Amino acid sequence: MEVLVAGHETTAVPERRLASVRDGAPAPAERRPGSASAGRWDDTVVVVRVYNEAPVVGGVIAELVAAGLTVIAVDDASTDGSAAEIDRVGAFRVSHPINLGAGGALQTGFETALRLTDAQYIACFDADGQHQLHDLLGMIERIREGYDVVLGSRFLEEGGPTQMSWLRRTILRSAAKLLRRRGGVELTDAHNGLRIVARHVAADVRLSYAGMAYASQLEEHLTQPDYRIVEHPVHILYTDYSRAKGQPLLNSVNILAELAAHRVTEWGRR
Amino acid sequence: MIIQILLIPALVAAVLLSLRSRSSLRGQARRKILALATVVLGVLAVLFPDSLQELADAVGVTRGSDLLLYGLVLVQIYLVGSTSVRFREQEGRLVQLARQVAIMDASLRYAVVEGAEQQSPALVAAPVQSSDRTPRQ
């Protein structure tokens, strides 16, 4: 069953366009993602989805930029001061003219990274401050060992996992078991927003779900047997802010319904 | 009851078929045939009111108008499903359009050029073509 690609033709993304520019061809580019610094993390671009996160997004991105990472911030038509905050801290901002949802924003981030940078690795990082910079850096070092995909897991941590309610824990653990894993990959966590993928993996991603169900679609794609995949322990900070912004558990009903309707529609189609 | 045997599969079929309805030519043709059949059946039902009752009696429904209601509900379910599929397809196109606009806008703002080979046809050839055309028209 080819749920991932069926029916939705995303524009073919040409690979490594900017490589020629970087190799010394005359480029009128004053600034582009990937050119900010020639540091240790030069091979990685971080995609941050931003939707009305003005109070925190500046601090989150500033920390990434300060560490020498290139940040593509996808502003999903925020109505607060998020765009100004992004510009202030020096990320490459891509602003949707209309709200496209979490999956739409991530796809935009991937396509921007592929079209405008020659990054080898593309990471996803949440704008609400629940992810830790050192977890991301650890994941970058991990993927450099030759993996295609590194997924963050809240359940691999030593000395007790991230604090979360038992209900959330139970639902996430059972989701991790129930969600289809291709190639029999055993994952301990589901829908963790901290991930990093190699360039060729990102080029194959076609997210077609509008809502949060994109995470299931993405995981189904990333766990295909051709990819070398590994989980990396991460610690999620559930601050009051991220808790207030986070998904209510009842949203899992929306996600399941969206997945089911899509599967019926796409089943058996090429 | 014959109607129970008929209605339950029809209900399931209405949901499944509607979710799988396509905007392809074949799908459009099917919908048109369905629409035509509805008109013909409607006219027949008006011309021969008793026929609806006879049909109801045959499948075990008390009144002909009840049978009509069942049919109407099935059509309604199909319509809701197929409309949501069409809506989703439209949404998919909108997403791609918005994404292209966003990336183009960002490229312009930061003066990023997507590869040197694309720069010349996009930035140089376009004005030449348009100035070429205007006098001819």
Side-chain angles (χ1 to χ4, degrees):
Chain A
M1 189 198 282
E2 274 303 311
V3 178
L4 289 166
V5 272
H8 292 270
E9 309 146 40
T10 321
T11 9
V13 180
E15 277 187 65
R16 291 174 181 273
R17 279 252 181 99
L18 260 188
S20 57
V21 178
R22 180 174 256 196
D23 291 345
E30 288 155 12
R31 187 170 153 213
R32 59 186 168 81
S35 65
S37 66
R40 283 179 69 198
W41 313 108
D42 218 17
D43 53 355
T44 306
V45 161
V46 184
V47 172
V48 180
R49 303 182 277 112
V50 183
Y51 180 58
N52 289 346
E53 308 271 11
V56 290
V57 69
V60 171
I61 294 179
E63 196 187 357
L64 295 172
V65 172
L69 287 156
T70 304
V71 177
I72 293 177
V74 182
D75 167 24
D76 199 6
S78 299
T79 49
D80 60 358
S82 295
E85 280 290 303
I86 294 167
D87 288 343
R88 186 176 63 77
V89 294
F92 185 88
R93 174 169 61 85
V94 181
S95 282
H96 285 163
I98 49 173
N99 185 269
L100 297 187
L106 195 58
Q107 181 75 36
T108 301
F110 279 165
E111 288 188 19
T112 309
L114 291 167
R115 281 166 63 167
L116 304 182
T117 79
D118 53 4
Q120 275 181 275
Y121 308 113
I122 301 167
C124 314
F125 201 85
D126 277 10
D128 60 8
Q130 61 171 320
H131 292 158
Q132 316 287 306
L133 175 64
H134 73 89
D135 283 339
L136 173 66
L137 298 183
M139 286 167 73
I140 296 175
E141 277 168 349
R142 200 74 186 274
I143 201 168
R144 282 175 180 161
E145 291 167 16
Y147 291 101
D148 295 311
V149 179
V150 180
L151 297 177
S153 171
R154 288 161 277 197
F155 298 102
L156 284 179
E157 231 179 349
E158 286 164 38
T162 310
Q163 75 278 14
M164 63 172 90
S165 74
W166 66 269
L167 185 60
R168 186 173 284 271
R169 184 195 308 272
T170 313
I171 289 183
L172 282 170
R173 294 302 308 241
S174 33
K177 289 205 175 70
L178 285 174
L179 285 174
R180 192 174 0 180
R181 304 292 190 205
R182 311 205 310 199
V185 184
E186 287 279 327
L187 294 183
T188 57
D189 199 356
H191 290 197
N192 191 318
L194 194 50
R195 2 177 144 76
I196 180 164
V197 300
R199 186 185 182 89
H200 72 94
V201 176
D204 289 338
V205 170
R206 302 276 183 276
L207 296 174
S208 53
Y209 293 76
M212 286 305 290
Y214 85 91
S216 310
Q217 191 186 23
L218 183 61
E219 272 175 27
E220 189 183 334
H221 175 69
L222 295 183
T223 50
Q224 69 185 55
D226 314 358
Y227 296 153
R228 289 194 64 202
I229 182 170
V230 70
E231 282 190 311
H232 189 83
V234 299
H235 185 81
I236 305 290
L237 273 187
Y238 285 106
T239 60
D240 287 341
Y241 179 84
S242 75
R243 238 185 231 114
K245 290 278 298 189
Q247 305 179 62
L249 275 178
L250 205 56
N251 197 24
S252 47
V253 175
N254 291 337
I255 293 175
L256 282 177
E258 203 178 341
L259 285 173
H262 254 271
R263 291 223 168 120
V264 172
T265 305
E266 305 294 349
W267 184 68
R269 291 193 187 169
R270 271 178 295 126
Chain B
M1 289 293 223
I2 304 169
I3 188 68
Q4 286 174 328
I5 302 167
L6 290 177
L7 273 184
I8 293 170
L11 198 66
V12 175
V15 172
L16 291 184
L17 286 178
S18 69
L19 284 179
R20 295 180 58 74
S21 69
R22 304 154 175 257
S23 50
S24 66
L25 287 176
R26 205 183 289 173
Q28 284 174 29
R30 280 200 202 111
R31 273 190 289 279
K32 275 162 193 158
I33 292 171
L34 206 68
L36 194 68
T38 313
V39 173
V40 171
L41 286 176
V43 169
L44 287 178
V46 171
L47 284 179
F48 312 103
D50 295 340
S51 63
L52 201 59
Q53 184 62 51
E54 279 163 24
L55 201 62
D57 290 339
V59 294
V61 178
T62 337
R63 294 184 307 166
S65 56
D66 286 350
L67 188 66
L68 196 66
L69 182 70
Y70 296 156
L72 213 61
V73 168
L74 286 177
V75 168
Q76 177 70 27
I77 290 172
Y78 180 84
L79 281 180
V80 168
S82 59
T83 309
S84 76
V85 170
R86 297 289 281 278
F87 192 73
R88 216 191 295 151
E89 285 175 355
Q90 290 287 359
E91 205 179 55
R93 292 190 196 111
L94 189 67
V95 162
Q96 286 180 27
L97 180 67
R99 179 170 298 133
Q100 296 310 315
V101 169
I103 295 178
M104 267 171 61
D105 167 67
S107 312
L108 288 175
R109 244 181 311 117
Y110 297 109
V112 178
V113 178
E114 277 188 53
E117 78 280 359
Q118 215 213 359
Q119 180 193 358
S120 35
L123 296 180
V124 183
V128 173
Q129 263 184 356
S130 59
S131 64
D132 226 359
R133 264 178 211 160
T134 15
R136 263 182 237 158
Q137 282 173 344

